[in-house]
Amino acid sequence: MSAEAADPGAPLRRRSRPRIDLRRLGRVALRGPVSRDRLPDAISHVAEAHRAHHPDADLTILRRAYVLAESSHRGQMRKSGEPYITHPLAVTLILAELGAETTTLTASLLHDTVEDTEVTLEQVKEQFGDEVCYLVDGVTKLEKVDYGAAAEPETFRKMLVATGNDVRVMSIKLADRLHNMRTLGVMRPEKQARIAKVTRDVLIPLAERLGVQALKTELEDLVFAILHPEEYEETRALIAAATGPDDPLETIADNVTHTLRDAGISAEVLIRPRHFVSVHRVRRKRGELRGTDFGRLLVLVGEDADCYAVLGELHTCFTPVISEFKDFIAAPKFNLYQSLHTAVVGPEGAVAEVLIRTHRMHKVAEAGVVALGNPYAQDPAAPPQTEPSDERADPTRPGWLSRLLDWQESATDPDTFWTTLRDDLAQDREITVFRTDGGTLGLPAGASCVDAAYAQYGDLAHTAIGARVNGRLATLSTVLSDGDTVQPLLAQDTASGPSPDWLDHARTPAARIAITGWFSDHPDEAKPDPETADATGPGTRGEPAAATEREAPARSRSGPRPTGVVVDDPNAQVRLAGCCTPVPPDELTGFVVRGGAVTVHRRECPAVAAMQEIGRVPVVARWEDGEGRESDAGCRVTLVAESFGRPRLLADLTEAIATADAAIVSATVEPPSEQRVRHTYTLRLPDAAGLPGLMRAMRDVAGVYDVSRAQHPAPTG
């Protein structure tokens, strides 16, 4: 296999073992004369390709798998007219060329037996073992008779769950789809288009994420030819016209070869033609193509250090295009890809893109997870397991796959799963952000603090009020960059819920499904209410600027009625407005909001005038008897401060409280947990109007990341 142009006539600029052209595999001998000590002639190509990567492989199991596959498929024909056995043979040859190990090849030979013949999973397990049975089951489609229109999405869900335990399942599926796409011409045009769209939306992104570039690039070209035939033919004509003896890349490749030889660096310099889709993308980006745009130089070396030595020589002896430099060796892509990318100016101003990598990096770049072999093979040096484990921990499982497996459990509806899967796979880059406890989170590029909160805390993130990014306060809408350190900040009110605006900032399916699910359970909160928007100021609930004057019970969307407040309707749910934090003896007024709840404000709150201007009718609200009797001595309030531990923190907090003219009635400081400290203060203020300023002053103390009203009164002294 190769990720070169998907044109059978495209020249390969390297000498190596002749490769099998799978497009011309055609009919194969079904079963020639076979002795017990050798393989059937029909899979001799598979054996040859397999032994090229695994010289010591035992081919006995392949012979048995082929005999079972051929006998069970005998008499079945493909729509192209070929015997059906040509399909599993072609799929197996694709994987053998990529370097797949024997277990994968065995399962690929058998991958359609359970689905299309009388062979059962029990028979596969009995004859070939648990692993082969697991792989065959993973790629077996669900019956339309049982699932109807949901059969396709539920089949992909089943495959993805199986892939979460063994990535070889998806390797077989990708090879299976590649051979089917190669032979798709016998299908009706509308069916070709439907299969090509699913391949484009699901299989190609999966191939990219698993790093199997050899499959991904050819799938892209095949989809391109079906869905965009005119542009495909234009691109084919451009590539054909550019093929000739005066290839400017040849001249630059010779110069690079001589330069590296003179520097004493052992390297192989190849010309790597671009595939059709890549040429098409370059054409759309630049308009008119240059002679060097039809390919790139590939420099293969032995060691990682040699990659940087090559880079140094190229940037010394040629004029580099600095903007084109990327180091994917020091920072590999999320799909295992490693390489140095640069561009240099050759003779007569020709610019050539150059890829520099080791031979091992090249193998992984082409074959991705397929090149990693069996992730479950026992290390001879490792101690034997004393107890069998039901968990199949796959060391090759990437972070995006773990996230996918998490959110798919919440997407129980097939249509939701199918739509969300396509949206998730459309995120073609991934970033890594760090948690404050030293752990990491893998997120798609463009993810925000909302995504980080749900990735770290799950449904607890419903109570998020903001975040710290690289030590600084940030809104939940802040977009994260690769390498950022993020700490989502949660409120103490466990009954509070997300803001509808969060859906505008959520990029991960897990966050979107969780937020949507919360609003499904709380339909009255599905849309932002004008009263709530005015009450909380210009920001959303995820913005610290708006959160500074909120107190936790006021943000509870479904909690109990605050004790001590009476409105005209004794059955109405009552909550205190976060914009003005009313406390006794404040004079109160309220407004009915969505769902029949009453939000209570101080009468002088600006939100009251705003609500009256838009025609909202005030509701009479007052403190219960006795609640306002502290007016002569001010008001009492209990605040909870969450902070990071540091020297002099307690002194600075008490100074901020004293500066705000508040008296400390009692205080408790809980023992630090994970470098975090929780302080609870019962305070007496001369006037309730000073409460927002007091809370702001406490939040301004270095190390404090949240201050809120306590949900339960603290003991008074």
Side-chain angles (χ1 to χ4, degrees):
M1 285 298 302
S2 167
E4 318 295 353
D7 183 348
L12 295 178
R13 314 298 177 86
R14 64 176 295 180
R15 294 181 179 179
S16 61
R17 181 178 61 82
R19 293 175 179 252
I20 305 301
D21 186 354
L22 292 177
R23 300 174 189 82
R24 298 173 181 154
L25 185 65
R27 291 177 178 269
V28 296
L30 292 184
R31 287 185 73 187
V34 180
S35 61
R36 293 186 177 182
D37 59 348
R38 74 183 188 88
L39 291 164
D41 292 340
I43 57 169
S44 59
H45 293 322
V46 172
E48 178 187 356
H50 188 38
R51 280 282 172 83
H53 293 278
H54 305 277
D56 300 325
D58 182 2
L59 303 181
T60 305
I61 191 173
L62 285 180
R63 177 187 182 279
R64 291 195 292 112
Y66 172 77
V67 170
L68 177 60
E70 191 281 325
S71 61
S72 60
H73 288 298
R74 190 178 300 166
Q76 296 178 347
M77 307 295 287
R78 304 196 79 216
K79 290 188 183 297
S80 60
E82 294 176 335
Y84 195 89
I85 190 62
T86 60
H87 172 63
L89 275 171
V91 172
T92 306
L93 184 52
I94 290 170
L95 292 169
E97 288 281 344
L98 289 174
E101 38 69 58
T102 309
T103 301
T104 304
L105 301 186
T106 303
S108 68
L109 281 170
L110 301 170
H111 79 272
D112 276 339
T113 54
V114 174
E115 183 178 324
D116 295 332
T117 76
E118 298 300 319
V119 175
T120 65
L121 282 173
E122 289 72 21
Q123 288 176 287
V124 173
K125 182 176 182 179
E126 180 181 347
Q127 295 187 42
F128 300 97
D130 290 339
E131 283 193 315
V132 171
C133 177
Y134 186 88
L135 298 178
V136 172
D137 184 32
V139 295
T140 299
K141 294 179 183 176
L142 298 173
E143 293 287 347
K144 275 195 173 182
V145 174
D146 299 325
Y147 288 85
E152 184 173 39
E154 289 302 329
T155 293
F156 270 97
R157 189 201 297 265
K158 172 176 175 279
M159 289 181 188
L160 288 167
V161 171
T163 299
N165 285 331
D166 194 326
V167 291
R168 294 175 292 180
V169 171
M170 192 53 64
S171 300
I172 297 172
K173 177 59 183 177
L174 290 171
D176 172 66
R177 178 54 61 95
L178 176 57
H179 184 248
N180 283 332
M181 288 293 296
R182 286 174 177 173
T183 57
L184 204 59
V186 298
M187 299 285 188
R188 299 187 309 275
E190 59 271 19
K191 189 166 185 180
Q192 290 185 40
R194 184 185 67 79
I195 295 174
K197 288 177 181 177
V198 173
T199 303
R200 176 196 64 192
D201 295 343
V202 179
L203 274 303
I204 288 175
L206 284 170
E208 168 74 16
R209 292 186 176 211
L210 292 172
V212 195
Q213 294 296 318
L215 302 187
K216 178 232 177 188
T217 51
E218 189 177 345
L219 284 171
E220 281 186 327
D221 284 348
L222 293 167
V223 168
F224 185 36
I226 292 172
L227 298 182
H228 306 282
E230 294 182 0
E231 293 172 310
Y232 177 82
E233 288 302 326
E234 289 177 5
T235 306
R236 175 191 285 274
L238 287 171
I239 292 174
T243 303
D246 299 327
D247 186 349
L249 281 176
E250 292 276 11
T251 303
I252 300 177
D254 289 341
N255 291 342
V256 169
T257 300
H258 292 136
T259 297
L260 298 181
R261 184 184 302 143
D262 293 344
I265 301 173
S266 177
E268 186 177 4
V269 181
L270 311 171
I271 294 178
R272 183 179 179 81
R274 291 182 184 273
H275 64 296
F276 291 129
V277 170
S278 180
V279 172
H280 177 66
R281 287 171 180 158
V282 173
R283 184 188 179 197
R284 290 183 60 183
K285 178 180 178 182
R286 295 180 182 162
E288 186 173 347
L289 293 172
R290 306 172 303 201
T292 54
D293 286 336
F294 293 92
R296 292 181 288 189
L297 298 187
L298 174 62
V299 181
L300 298 177
V301 294
E303 303 293 337
D304 290 11
D306 296 336
C307 295
Y308 293 98
V310 169
L311 181 70
E313 288 298 322
L314 293 183
H315 283 193
T316 300
C317 300
F318 297 86
T319 301
V321 182
I322 300 301
S323 61
E324 296 293 325
F325 173 68
K326 298 181 181 68
D327 187 345
F328 294 117
I329 295 179
K333 288 187 177 181
F334 67 91
N335 61 1
L336 311 177
Y337 178 86
Q338 287 186 290
S339 188
L340 294 178
H341 290 202
T342 190
V344 296
V345 181
E348 301 180 359
V351 177
E353 294 182 37
V354 186
L355 311 178
I356 309 167
R357 60 180 70 142
T358 65
H359 289 279
R360 183 184 179 282
M361 291 175 191
H362 182 58
K363 180 179 179 182
V364 174
E366 290 288 284
V369 295
V370 180
L372 299 180
N374 182 1
Y376 312 107
Q378 272 290 83
D379 184 354
Q385 288 186 332
T386 56
E387 296 182 3
S389 174
D390 292 334
E391 293 292 328
R392 296 167 60 88
D394 187 346
T396 67
R397 179 196 287 186
W400 64 265
L401 181 54
S402 295
R403 294 197 310 275
L404 188 155
L405 295 175
D406 288 339
W407 70 251
Q408 68 85 23
E409 293 180 354
S410 303
T412 54
D413 176 68
D415 290 337
T416 301
F417 166 76
W418 198 229
T419 302
T420 307
L421 175 65
R422 295 183 184 209
D423 291 343
D424 188 16
L425 293 176
Q427 308 286 343
D428 59 355
R429 289 198 308 111
E430 182 165 297
I431 62 172
T432 299
V433 298
F434 296 91
R435 302 189 322 216
T436 53
D437 61 4
T440 60
L441 297 173
L443 299 170
S448 66
C449 293
V450 171
D451 300 297
Y454 281 96
Q456 184 169 352
Y457 293 113
D459 287 347
L460 290 177
H462 292 330
T463 65
I465 58 172
R468 285 187 182 271
V469 177
N470 301 324
R472 295 180 176 271
L473 280 175
T475 66
L476 287 171
S477 62
T478 301
V479 176
L480 298 169
S481 299
D482 199 31
D484 281 346
T485 298
V486 60
Q487 179 194 12
L489 306 177
L490 307 184
Q492 299 303 305
D493 178 16
T494 58
S496 59
S499 164
D501 296 336
W502 293 7
L503 287 172
D504 296 333
H505 312 303
R507 295 291 177 269
T508 58
R512 296 187 66 83
I513 289 173
I515 296 168
T516 303
W518 191 92
F519 285 117
S520 296
D521 295 337
H522 303 79
D524 293 336
E525 305 293 342
K527 295 180 180 180
D529 189 85
E531 190 278 336
T532 305
D534 288 337
T536 55
T540 68
R541 205 180 142 269
E543 299 189 18
T548 54
E549 295 185 3
R550 295 185 189 149
E551 47 86 26
R555 290 206 313 271
S556 174
R557 301 175 184 257
S558 57
R561 181 173 65 91
T563 303
V565 178
V566 177
V567 297
D568 289 343
D569 183 357
N571 297 319
Q573 183 185 31
V574 179
R575 58 192 183 192
L576 301 180
C579 53
C580 55
T581 59
V583 293
D586 294 335
E587 293 185 353
L588 306 176
T589 190
F591 294 93
V592 178
V593 296
R594 186 176 288 108
V598 176
T599 299
V600 177
H601 297 260
R602 293 167 55 201
R603 283 189 181 175
E604 60 268 33
C605 176
V608 172
M611 290 298 98
Q612 290 175 331
E613 286 179 5
I614 62 174
R616 302 293 285 272
V617 179
V619 174
V620 175
R622 66 181 185 279
W623 301 107
E624 288 182 341
D625 293 342
E627 288 295 325
R629 293 177 184 170
E630 289 188 315
S631 57
D632 294 338
C635 67
R636 179 179 296 190
V637 63
T638 299
L639 300 179
V640 176
E642 303 280 351
S643 67
F644 299 109
R646 67 169 179 83
R648 288 191 51 81
L649 176 63
L650 184 60
D652 291 345
L653 265 173
T654 54
E655 182 179 352
I657 293 170
T659 302
D661 293 330
I664 299 177
V665 177
S666 66
T668 59
V669 180
E670 298 178 10
S673 174
E674 297 182 354
Q675 301 297 318
R676 301 179 186 182
V677 183
R678 178 185 174 96
H679 309 249
T680 303
Y681 298 94
T682 298
L683 308 173
R684 191 182 302 279
L685 283 76
D687 186 81
L691 180 58
L694 169 63
M695 296 175 71
R696 280 196 296 269
M698 293 175 67
R699 283 196 183 95
D700 288 340
V701 173
V704 176
Y705 59 84
D706 188 31
V707 177
S708 61
R709 294 280 296 274
Q711 295 188 60
H712 304 287
T716 58

